[in-house]
Amino acid sequence: MYLAFNISGRPYPRFACHFDPYGAIFSDHEWAQIFISDAGLMATSYALYGFAASYSFWWLARVYGVPLLILNGWLVLITYLQNTHPALPHYDSSEWDWLRGALATVDRDYGVHNMVFHNITDTHVAHHLFSTMPHYHAMEATRVIKPLLGEYYQFDGTPLLKAMWREARECIYVEPDEGSKQEGVFWYRKEF
């Protein structure tokens, strides 16, 4: 729904669709890239249809669908853990600015998976600050920004399964600190 109709996306002056090369989401010079992407999606869809017709829908589900679900589940988990931690603040519009939003993430150590995922897991703070930086500079940038950010740099070395369990238990909803002068700053809570 988000890609086709921009559901939950930022508002645009006219209809916004991620598949429309001339859509409001993209700059005029990006139309060729969107067209090529759309052609790739159609070719892939046709190839998947061909495999399903040749081998069966259930074969395609096992060979293509299940690995795709596992990959997407892993990506959702990584994203969840990068942006969910008891020490991460959330902001409403009265307190939010770009830098605060960019620093509301945490680097985590996933062991060998750090390298497998081009270090997006342990250099996510740098990615938030410099989103157009090539991934192969992320380690260097992280080493530089850690001392500069000081207490504003967030890292959690908790093992993956333990972190999943803790965040699922402790990060249920956000609310402001009682008595705080900053009413637009919210923190995770677990007890209603």
Side-chain angles (χ1 to χ4, degrees), residues 175-188:
E175 72 176 7
D177 279 333
E178 289 184 28
S180 174
K181 294 178 184 177
Q182 296 177 315
E183 293 181 14
V185 180
F186 300 85
W187 298 94
Y188 279 113

Side-chain angles (χ1 to χ4, degrees), residues 7-186:
I7 301 296
S8 79
R10 81 171 184 88
Y12 289 93
R14 57 187 167 79
F15 178 71
C17 171
H18 285 76
F19 304 113
D20 179 4
Y22 303 102
I25 294 174
F26 307 109
S27 302
D28 292 338
H29 69 279
E30 295 175 313
W31 72 269
Q33 295 169 331
I34 307 311
F35 180 79
I36 292 168
S37 176
D38 290 347
L41 287 170
M42 287 188 282
T44 302
S45 298
Y46 183 73
L48 292 173
Y49 171 78
F51 281 119
S54 297
Y55 295 101
S56 85
F57 170 79
W58 295 113
W59 178 88
L60 183 65
R62 285 191 314 270
V63 172
Y64 181 79
V66 171
L68 186 64
L69 287 174
I70 292 168
L71 172 67
N72 282 301
W74 180 247
L75 292 176
V76 167
L77 175 65
I78 288 172
T79 303
Y80 171 73
L81 289 175
Q82 287 170 332
N83 298 289
T84 306
H85 190 278
L88 293 180
H90 292 263
Y91 306 99
D92 70 10
S93 60
S94 69
E95 292 289 335
W96 185 91
D97 61 40
W98 179 85
L99 183 58
R100 282 182 153 184
L103 292 175
T105 189
V106 61
D107 283 348
R108 293 182 183 269
D109 185 6
Y110 285 37
V112 69
H113 289 107
N114 291 336
M115 188 176 60
V116 171
F117 293 113
H118 303 287
N119 296 98
I120 194 62
T121 50
D122 61 336
T123 62
H124 199 67
V125 174
H127 167 73
H128 268 221
L129 292 171
F130 311 104
S131 61
T132 60
M133 174 181 56
H135 71 86
Y136 46 84
H137 290 303
M139 295 295 292
E140 178 184 4
T142 297
R143 282 191 295 275
V144 171
I145 65 171
K146 275 183 188 181
L148 294 173
L149 293 175
E151 68 180 283
Y152 298 104
Y153 173 77
Q154 297 288 335
F155 176 82
D156 184 8
T158 306
L160 179 65
L161 294 175
K162 189 174 180 181
M164 286 171 39
W165 179 252
R166 182 190 61 211
E167 269 56 308
R169 272 190 11 256
E170 295 184 15
C171 301
I172 307 299
Y173 68 99
V174 294
E175 72 176 7
D177 279 333
E178 289 184 28
S180 174
K181 294 178 184 177
Q182 296 177 315
E183 293 181 14
V185 180
F186 300 85

